[in-house]
Amino acid sequence: MKTETTIQGLTASLSPARSSRKIIGFVPTMGNLHEGHLNLVREARRLCDVVVVSIFVNPIQFGPNEDFENYPRTLEHDSHLLAEVGCDIVFAPSVEQMYGHKPRLTNISVSDITNDLCGLQRPGHFDGVAVVVTKLFNMVQPNFAFFGQKDYQQLAVIRQFVRDLNIPLEVIGVPITRATDGLALSSRNGYLTEEQRKTAPIIFQSLKEAEQQLKQAVNLAEVLENIKQTLTQAGFIVDYVEARTLDLDKIEVFNQDVVLFVAAKLGTTRLIDNLQVKYTA
Ligand code: AMP
């Protein structure tokens, strides 16, 4: 496995793969890798000849009061894990390498679907994601790019600008990897105290409970209210509990497949999760 920290080095490492028309798979991450990330890499390994993983904590997708400075940076450990799952190239650029010294005057802003859910709580976040992912796509020029359904809205935003801008690659969504108690794996779980970690799986439990209620024809608004109450009683500060169609359109009644979304804080740690619920008439 090679590690590259410059765009030039990355291009040189990818050059043999490009000239022999190998299928390149790409997994963008912010590092501090866990099984969720590794499952994306395994999927890339399964479908592609050459697997590139980027590790870059992207400053422009963090709000002023978010955790950019404290975000865990564990490159050495990440590299061991990536070597074990068969990654070929790790791309770990500095902020300078990514953004240079001159001001950036170009933005990539996806409308509508970003003015909802996490986009309302984190203004500018998805613009920051769209810019960095587009830059990385241009550097790696992959055939396939892999993203987790854990960040369902992010995946939708990426699919949208890839389609709108004719970026020549295929986006693959990978299901959420969970701990055995149901908590969706996340680098931010490491911020939780022991006590909070015990409380955190209630998010997934409340989503599964909601799924059961929907199947028993409980009204959608009531189901969402029940999740909110469960979480609040358990000590979460709820940012939102919402239901959307698979394309993130608003929905009032459960008359088609839906995705249930939760964002909630335990102390200062913000956790997100989602669950797709099938509609069977
Ligand atoms: P991050 O390092 O948090 O930016 O995540 C990098 C990629 O890993 C994104 O596509 C995430 O959606 C994905 N990811 C993170 N956690 C999980 C998880 N528990 N299950 C599936 N994908 C995940």
Side-chain angles (χ1 to χ4, degrees), residues 4-176:
E4 301 295 348
T5 56
T6 65
I7 299 162
Q8 231 183 356
L10 174 72
T11 305
S13 274
L14 278 168
S15 159
R18 288 211 180 103
S19 45
S20 55
R21 295 182 186 279
K22 293 253 168 75
I23 303 292
I24 299 172
F26 177 44
V27 182
T29 82
M30 298 204 298
N32 193 234
L33 302 182
H34 51 63
E35 279 298 309
H37 299 110
L38 298 181
N39 281 339
L40 302 192
V41 181
R42 290 183 184 108
E43 189 61 3
R45 181 74 282 162
R46 200 171 69 76
L47 296 177
C48 305
D49 302 316
V50 175
V51 175
V52 182
V53 177
S54 64
I55 294 182
F56 180 65
V57 185
N58 175 34
I60 69 165
Q61 73 186 68
F62 287 77
N65 299 318
E66 293 184 359
D67 54 346
F68 173 69
E69 297 295 341
N70 297 329
Y71 199 86
R73 289 156 171 91
T74 53
L75 183 57
E76 207 173 313
H77 186 240
D78 292 347
S79 300
H80 289 301
L81 296 176
L82 288 174
E84 277 171 21
V85 291
C87 167
D88 297 299
I89 301 171
V90 181
F91 180 47
S94 64
V95 172
E96 258 175 22
Q97 185 66 207
M98 275 310 275
Y99 289 107
H101 293 290
K102 292 189 179 168
R104 174 178 56 90
L105 302 179
T106 305
N107 194 27
I108 299 176
S109 196
V110 175
S111 61
D112 287 16
I113 54 171
T114 59
N115 300 323
D116 195 16
L117 304 171
C118 286
L120 296 175
Q121 320 279 329
R122 306 183 70 188
H125 168 70
F126 288 115
D127 287 12
V129 170
V131 167
V132 81
V133 170
T134 302
K135 284 164 80 76
L136 288 165
F137 282 170
N138 285 332
M139 292 168 194
V140 178
Q141 296 173 33
N143 302 88
F144 293 92
F146 298 81
F147 294 88
Q149 287 168 0
K150 156 95 181 350
D151 301 280
Y152 192 101
Q153 191 179 13
Q154 169 176 281
L155 175 59
V157 168
I158 290 163
R159 284 193 196 285
Q160 184 75 41
F161 72 71
V162 162
R163 183 165 65 241
D164 289 347
L165 303 178
N166 296 86
I167 301 180
L169 56 82
E170 190 176 327
V171 174
I172 311 271
V174 179
I176 301 176

